[in-house]
Each structure stands twice: as structure tokens, then as C-alpha cells.
Amino acid sequence: MTTQNNYYDSLPVGRLGIIPLAGCAEIGDKVNDYIVKWRKNRSCAAAVNDLSSEYIRPTYLINIKNSRFGSGEGKGTILESVRGDDLFFLVDVCNHSLSYTVCGMENRMSPDDHFQDLKRIISAVGGKARRIIVIMPFLYESRRDKRVMRDSLDCALALQELVEMGVDNIITFDAHDPRVQNAIPLHGFETITPTHQFIKNVLRNAPDMKIDSDHLMVISPDENGMKRAIFMANNLGVDMGMFYKRRDYSTTINGRNPVVAHEFLGTNVEGKDMIIVDDMISSGSSILDVARELKKRKARNIYMCVTFGLFTSGLEKFDRAYEEGLFTKLITTNLIYQDPELLSKPYYVGCDMSKFIAYMIDTLNHDGSMGSLLDPSNRIHKVVEKFNRGEEV
């Protein structure tokens, strides 16, 4: 990834501090390793002066502790000074692998628990940091982005809580509806779609793919994902198709109206490779129904690119679908917790986002522009050109 070198010609105003909460420990370590390596090797004049001990350090991770009392109540503690620092919080509200004890019984951490722990550590900062930036890949309660009847607006309230606590900027990935940022119109909010990383990983696993409208098509599994599918299709120079979910609004199951059928809008898919792009897999039923419909229409290979793989109903249905030949590869990011079982599947391809997050943190700490990071068009075109020349992407 190219960067604007002039951003790194001087030292940042605020010392860098990275605070990955427990659910983000693994990706936090990777991000830290990248930045340690880059700053150690960076050859700028300011980095070798007598202030470089604050710039080039063995680690940028800040020691914190989230404690629990026997009742389940919590406490956040910062174990070192953060006065004047640029603090970057990493939080994965979907990490269900962690637990704590309540009155002697094990309790799995829910999104609510992760969000409360984030607020506890921000509270412990006590206003001493230069600025606070929260990187929350899966935006807390983001599926509750608009009011239906007497629903609560949890996501909007959460964003307002964070900015009232002193958070300057919130960075997320593939927000279910980016308009939720209207809840905090005077504060920073960025939502990023990993289109570049998806394309790169698809091409690495599809050596015989032909990138043109006669052989490739991008599919949105519903009307809400049209924008991301259009962006990918336009950058690849191929057609786009869409399914819309016909629901039974007279019935409610588990708080949702059941899908009666997936209706397809698009050109002929026979013999073409398909890239289905979506923001999340919850149970997985919808995206597998879409793959099944495409196979009925005689699509060739199907690559499913999803930012967040929640897999709330397990992986059995994906195992069966793969054995039936409904899809070729499933690609998700490591922005949220990945079950070890998922990583062992023959059809799974992991999309590592730690380097991209490290670029974001390093750039923002230098007060650099995020423009080139937020618009991946040039990088996508370079990847496609390399692939068409037969080079490794």
C-alpha cells in the first residue's frame, strides 16, 4: 500500500498508544508488530533526534486491566500514564469466546459486556489523552439503525455515549447503514468496506478467473448491499446482479419477518463466476439460498465475500453446501473473532486486516489524510492488472 511519505517527515504531536481490549488481543498484537517494524526502519530526520525514544519504542500497547467482582460488576484500570497520548482503542463486540464468573457461574461475554468494558477504560483515561479514537470493526448494535414501531435506537445512543465521553473519531467497517452517523454529525465517523482485500483474496484462489462481463459478475444478496456490490463491479468492469428478499410481513419469527423467496434481478449468469459480497453472515441461510438460486441458473464458481462471519447457527450447513458444490470459497475477515473450526475448513479463506488497521493508526497519529486509505480504487486496479499479467497478487 502506498503512503504519503511527507506525513512521516516529522514526529507526531501525540505519543502513540494502542489499547486492544481482551476480545481484540490477537489482532492488536499484529497491528503493534507492524507499527514497531515500520517506525524502527523509517528513515526520517525527526525520528533520530533526542525525542525518538517516544517515537521508536519496543511496543505501543498500553497496559490495561478489566477486572470483575464476584457479582459480575466490572472495573477498568489503565496501568501506565497516557497523558498527552493519541489513544487508539480496538474492540470486538462479537467475541463470544471470552467469559467471566457471576456468583460462581460462567457467563459468556455479550456485545453489551464488551461495550461496557470499552467505556470503563475510556473512563479510566480521565480526559488526560490528547485524543481518543475507537476502532470498532463490527459497530455495536448496528442492525438497529432505524426505528420500526417502538424499537430502541441502541446504535445511535451508543455513538452519542462515546462522543460524550471524549471520543474524537469512530472507525468501523461495513456499517449496516452508514446513515447512523447522523446521530453524531459534529464528530468523526468512518465506515470502510474491505473491497480491495476481498478482490485480492478471490484472485489468489481463482487462477483461471477471467475478469470481464462475459465471465464474471458481482452479486448483492439483498437491496441493502447494492452500494458495495456496485462499487466492486464498477472497479472490476463487470456486471452486477441483485436478489431481493420477499418477506411474509404477517408473521414474525425470532423478531424478524421470514423470507419467502429470493427474487433475482440481473442478466444471464450461466457459465459465469459469481462474487457474492455482503456485510455479515448471521445464520448463513440467506447467502446459501442466494448461492443455491445462482447454481439453479447454471452459474460456474461462486465466491462468497463477507466482512463479518458470525455463524450463529454453526458451520454444518456450510459444510453440506460445499459438499453439494453450491460454492467454491468462503472469504471473511479477521475483524471479529474467528472460531478455530472455521479456520480449518477447506473452503475457507481468511482475509487479514491487521496491516490495513496499522496503516490507519500510523497515518492518523501523524495527522495524515485518510483519503487514499478510504478509496481503494487505485489499489484494486493495480491488483487486477497484476492478475491479468499472470503475476502473483
Side-chain angles (χ1 to χ4, degrees):
M1 184 182 296
T2 58
T3 56
Q4 298 293 327
N5 291 329
N6 58 312
Y7 296 152
Y8 309 113
D9 288 343
S10 60
L11 289 171
V13 175
R15 192 185 76 144
L16 175 60
I18 303 173
I19 302 181
L21 272 70
C24 265
E26 183 176 348
I27 195 168
D29 288 339
K30 290 182 178 180
V31 168
N32 177 65
D33 290 343
Y34 277 118
I35 297 178
V36 168
K37 177 183 176 182
W38 294 338
R39 295 197 172 186
K40 183 178 180 181
N41 297 329
R42 190 164 287 152
S43 56
C44 64
V48 296
N49 66 18
D50 57 357
L51 296 176
S52 63
S53 60
E54 293 297 316
Y55 182 78
I56 302 173
R57 307 203 307 274
T59 183
Y60 299 94
L61 299 177
I62 302 296
N63 290 317
I64 64 166
K65 185 177 182 181
N66 272 310
S67 307
R68 292 277 175 179
F69 301 102
S71 61
E73 297 169 287
K75 179 182 71 172
T77 309
I78 296 179
L79 303 175
E80 58 185 277
S81 174
V82 294
R83 187 178 296 274
D85 286 4
D86 282 350
L87 295 181
F88 291 82
F89 286 78
L90 299 173
V91 56
D92 174 11
V93 299
C94 294
N95 193 327
H96 59 273
S97 69
L98 305 178
S99 62
Y100 59 93
T101 302
V102 181
C103 299
M105 296 177 288
E106 185 183 38
N107 189 52
R108 289 279 178 176
M109 287 191 70
S110 71
D112 292 342
D113 292 314
H114 288 292
F115 187 66
Q116 285 300 120
D117 279 353
L118 170 66
K119 292 196 294 181
R120 289 183 177 109
I121 299 299
I122 293 174
S123 173
V125 173
K128 303 302 189 296
R130 176 178 176 250
R131 59 183 172 186
I132 296 174
I133 296 172
V134 171
I135 301 176
M136 185 186 295
F138 188 98
L139 188 61
Y140 174 70
E141 293 288 1
S142 56
R143 282 188 276 188
R144 307 309 316 143
D145 50 55
K146 57 182 178 293
R147 175 164 281 148
V148 179
M149 298 180 67
R150 294 185 179 88
D151 285 353
S152 58
L153 294 175
D154 300 64
C155 186
L157 289 173
L159 294 177
Q160 291 176 354
E161 269 191 287
L162 291 178
V163 299
E164 287 171 5
M165 295 182 72
V167 174
D168 297 279
N169 198 9
I170 297 167
I171 298 174
T172 189
F173 288 78
D174 250 341
H176 195 63
D177 190 337
R179 289 174 295 183
V180 74
Q181 66 189 289
N182 292 334
I184 50 169
L186 301 181
H187 293 78
F189 181 95
E190 306 289 353
T191 179
I192 301 163
T193 300
T195 307
H196 169 241
Q197 290 82 1
F198 280 155
I199 292 173
K200 184 184 292 186
N201 280 279
V202 167
L203 296 181
R204 284 173 177 170
N205 290 275
D208 62 341
M209 180 178 283
K210 296 180 180 179
I211 307 175
D212 58 52
S213 293
D214 294 327
H215 299 91
L216 179 62
M217 196 169 180
V218 177
I219 302 295
S220 173
D222 55 43
E223 60 275 18
N224 293 327
M226 282 278 288
K227 187 174 181 180
R228 72 176 66 87
I230 290 172
F231 181 78
M232 178 182 284
N234 286 347
N235 277 281
L236 291 174
V238 300
D239 290 332
M240 195 239 11
M242 185 201 82
F243 284 85
Y244 76 89
K245 298 174 182 177
R246 185 150 52 86
R247 295 182 180 273
D248 178 6
Y249 286 98
S250 65
T251 306
T252 301
I253 300 176
N254 294 329
R256 306 187 71 182
N257 304 112
V259 176
V260 177
H262 289 83
E263 306 290 354
F264 181 64
L265 301 175
T267 59
N268 181 29
V269 306
E270 185 174 352
K272 296 180 182 179
D273 289 332
M274 302 284 115
I275 299 178
I276 305 174
V277 58
D278 205 0
D279 60 338
M280 73 176 75
I281 290 175
S282 184
S283 67
S285 297
S286 291
I287 198 166
L288 290 177
D289 286 344
V290 167
R292 186 171 286 106
E293 291 296 325
L294 291 171
K295 278 296 184 181
K296 286 181 182 177
R297 291 168 172 80
K298 300 181 180 179
R300 186 170 172 254
N301 294 313
I302 295 179
Y303 302 90
M304 301 190 297
C305 298
V306 184
T307 307
F308 305 110
L310 301 175
F311 303 106
T312 56
S313 298
L315 296 169
E316 292 82 3
K317 62 179 66 176
F318 286 90
D319 294 341
R320 292 195 299 269
Y322 181 68
E323 290 169 3
E324 293 173 23
L326 291 186
F327 69 94
T328 305
K329 291 292 181 182
L330 169 63
I331 301 166
T332 72
T333 71
N334 64 338
L335 292 169
I336 61 172
Y337 172 72
Q338 297 171 298
D339 193 289
E341 182 187 2
L342 172 67
L343 302 179
S344 66
K345 298 297 181 182
Y347 52 78
Y348 179 70
V349 177
C351 190
D352 188 1
M353 298 297 296
S354 57
K355 189 174 185 180
F356 182 81
I357 293 175
Y359 271 121
M360 285 197 305
I361 291 175
D362 201 23
T363 299
L364 289 173
N365 182 229
H366 282 86
D367 293 318
S369 171
M370 287 269 288
S372 62
L373 294 174
L374 296 177
D375 182 5
S377 296
N378 290 334
R379 282 173 279 137
I380 292 172
H381 295 157
K382 289 179 181 178
V383 167
V384 172
E385 289 170 4
K386 289 178 68 176
F387 178 81
N388 288 334
R389 292 195 301 265
E391 300 176 13
E392 184 178 352
V393 297

